[in-house]
Amino acid sequence: MTVRMGQLMHVYPDQYDEYERRHNNLFPEMRKALKEAGAHNYSIFLDKKTGNLFAYLEVDNIEKYNAIAGSAACKKWWAYMEPIMDTNADQSPVTLNLHEVFHLD
């Protein structure tokens, strides 16, 4: 069963271009980890007025996807992204998971 996920994050206003550049050059091991975790149809949108990011992705298995946080690839990516966005003590992005209230196929 596919799970649709929406998340909010925040990038620092002077780092918009860098945030996009880094995602356009996603580490191959991070891309592989996401694919192996069943993530697909993944997009991130930026509100340039606020620095707010909206991420949308679909996953095949939420537990398998959540396990990616323990991977070396993910920890490396988080450390790389930490200087340009709001992060937690473990360098993971501060993320607000959204509740889906409507979907139209």
Side-chain angles (χ1 to χ4, degrees):
M1 176 181 151
T2 299
V3 176
R4 291 181 298 275
M5 299 175 63
Q7 301 174 320
L8 296 178
M9 297 173 286
H10 183 263
V11 62
Y12 301 137
D14 63 340
Q15 297 297 319
Y16 296 169
D17 291 339
E18 182 62 16
Y19 184 89
E20 185 173 359
R21 185 191 71 74
R22 291 181 186 200
H23 279 81
N24 287 335
N25 296 291
L26 185 65
F27 297 160
E29 62 267 34
M30 188 62 195
R31 182 179 305 276
K32 181 180 178 191
L34 286 165
K35 292 293 186 180
E36 288 176 354
H40 51 94
N41 203 18
Y42 196 165
S43 298
I44 302 173
F45 301 88
L46 168 64
D47 177 348
K48 289 187 174 184
K49 290 181 182 177
T50 65
N52 290 333
L53 299 162
F54 169 70
Y56 172 83
L57 70 150
E58 297 172 358
V59 299
D60 298 326
N61 178 303
I62 195 73
E63 290 81 18
K64 188 174 180 181
Y65 174 75
N66 286 339
I68 198 172
S71 72
C74 189
K75 290 180 186 299
K76 179 181 173 185
W77 182 255
W78 287 351
Y80 182 55
M81 298 302 291
E82 185 269 336
I84 66 171
M85 62 187 304
D86 291 343
T87 58
N88 297 301
D90 66 356
Q91 297 183 312
S92 65
V94 172
T95 304
L96 174 64
N97 292 313
L98 302 174
H99 174 76
E100 182 177 352
V101 296
F102 176 76
H103 175 75
L104 175 69
D105 268 330

